[in-house]
């Protein structure tokens, strides 16, 4: 396809330091990563809302959930990834939600736009790095959620530093909107994860890095919770990019 290009420059921590859209039309689109010292350049087609996320995904219920009469689904189309399922929350000492994931052994940069089908209090979804699929597993999630009063969208980071431990919630942006971008950079060498958020996918704000150590193989992917066990709700992920960075011990 030929369409306006998006140019994104990452620093060595996976943070976007420059981003431009609508570059000149007329160049065949080949998603690529070009390493330039401690910087990475991504060129993608703004008309391709899945970016270059072509990994095979597995699906799993996290925790004890009802799956809305057994109708929990995961659908990957040519332009989106849609999770439809239930689960009360990604919170506390055990999580309850629906997870579409792949396995990874590398550092990575991960970006997705999160759009809910409806505004329902306490619904939540985002991108996650997780130590397996156990309900009480160590994890970190960069997510968009609806507040309990169903009056606003919030961008939060949630993480659990050890299996069965409590969940820490960091409020990143209390005035987000449905259709917000979320990001995650995992630096395996430094054992730290940096999450971020953006209204347009170009201008980003980053949270303080979280120190977390994961062992192989980690899982990484998309997670959602409908806030009500047994009631399915849909969330769409688009504008996805996932780039693994080779890990050297």
């Amino acid at each position: 396809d030929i369409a306006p290009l998006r140019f994104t420059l990452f620093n060595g921590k996976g943070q976007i330091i420059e981003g431009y859209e609508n570059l000149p039309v007329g160049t065949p689109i080949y998603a690529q990563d070009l390493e330039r010292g401690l910087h990475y350049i991504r060129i993608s087609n703004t008309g391709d809302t899945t970016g270059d996320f072509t990994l095979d995904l597995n699906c799993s219920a996290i925790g004890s959930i009802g799956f809305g009469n057994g109708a929990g689904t995961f659908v990957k189309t040519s332009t989106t990834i849609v999770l439809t399922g239930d689960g009360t929350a990604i919170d506390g000492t055990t999580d309850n939600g629906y997870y579409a994931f792949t396995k990874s052994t590398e550092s990575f940069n991960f970006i997705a736009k999160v759009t809910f089908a409806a505004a329902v209090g306490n619904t939540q979804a985002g991108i996650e790095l997780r130590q397996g699929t156990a309900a009480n597993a160590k994890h970190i999630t960069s997510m968009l959620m609806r507040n309990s009063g169903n009056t606003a969208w919030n961008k939060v980071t949630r993480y659990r530093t050890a299996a069965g431990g409590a969940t820490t919630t960091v409020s990143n942006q209390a005035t987000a909107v449905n259709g917000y971008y979320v990001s995650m950079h995992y630096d395996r060498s430094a054992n730290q994860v940096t999450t971020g958020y953006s209204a347009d996918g170009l201008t980003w704000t980053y949270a303080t890095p979280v120190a977390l150590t994961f062992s192989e193989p980690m899982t990484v992917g998309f997670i959602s919770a409908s806030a009500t066990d047994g009631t399915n709700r849909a969330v769409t992920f688009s504008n996805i990019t996932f780039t693994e960075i080779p890990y050297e011990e």
Side-chain angles (χ1 to χ4, degrees):
D1 294 333
I2 296 177
L5 296 179
R6 169 178 289 170
F7 171 91
T8 311
L9 177 64
F10 297 88
N11 65 15
K13 295 181 179 180
Q15 298 171 342
I16 297 174
I17 58 177
E18 289 186 69
Y20 303 95
E21 284 190 341
N22 299 319
L23 297 183
V25 176
T27 304
I29 307 304
Y30 302 97
Q32 56 187 305
D33 294 306
L34 306 175
E35 184 175 349
R36 294 290 183 265
L38 293 177
H39 294 78
Y40 298 86
I41 299 171
R42 171 171 298 285
I43 302 170
S44 59
N45 183 336
T46 57
D48 179 3
T49 57
T50 58
D52 67 341
F53 193 85
T54 57
L55 300 179
D56 292 331
L57 297 174
N58 299 296
C59 305
S60 177
I62 298 296
S64 177
I65 66 177
F67 272 95
N69 299 317
T73 61
F74 156 71
V75 178
K76 181 178 179 181
T77 72
S78 61
T79 58
T80 60
I81 290 173
V82 182
L83 293 184
T84 303
D86 63 330
T88 53
I90 310 304
D91 201 5
T93 58
T94 57
D95 304 319
N96 294 278
Y98 194 50
Y99 189 35
F101 65 93
T102 188
K103 293 182 179 180
S104 177
T105 60
E106 310 286 359
S107 301
F108 61 79
N109 295 320
F110 193 5
I111 296 173
K113 182 179 181 180
V114 183
T115 307
F116 290 86
V120 177
N122 287 323
T123 51
Q124 51 201 254
I127 55 178
E128 181 171 85
L129 172 62
R130 191 176 189 90
Q131 191 67 69
T133 58
N136 67 349
K138 178 192 305 184
H139 78 90
I140 183 166
T141 308
S142 183
M143 68 165 64
L144 181 67
M145 67 177 294
R146 191 71 171 170
N147 68 355
S148 59
N150 200 22
T151 59
W153 297 99
N154 304 148
K155 165 61 183 72
V156 304
T157 298
R158 282 185 171 163
Y159 60 92
R160 182 181 297 121
T161 59
T167 296
T168 298
T169 299
V170 179
S171 178
N172 303 135
Q173 173 60 274
T175 56
V177 296
N178 195 18
Y180 232 47
Y181 290 77
V182 298
S183 73
M184 181 179 294
H185 172 67
Y186 173 49
D187 185 339
R188 191 175 172 199
S189 297
N191 292 318
Q192 69 178 23
V193 185
T194 304
T195 60
Y197 57 93
S198 171
D200 59 8
L202 298 173
T203 302
W204 289 84
T205 302
Y206 297 97
T208 301
V210 177
L212 287 171
T213 301
F214 290 87
S215 58
E216 296 185 15
M218 302 82 70
T219 63
V220 57
F222 309 89
I223 196 162
S224 70
S226 72
T228 306
D229 191 26
T231 299
N232 283 346
R233 295 189 174 97
V235 59
T236 299
F237 299 90
S238 59
N239 298 81
I240 301 159
T241 60
F242 180 81
T243 308
E244 289 190 313
I245 304 168
Y247 166 68
E248 297 183 6
E249 298 191 46

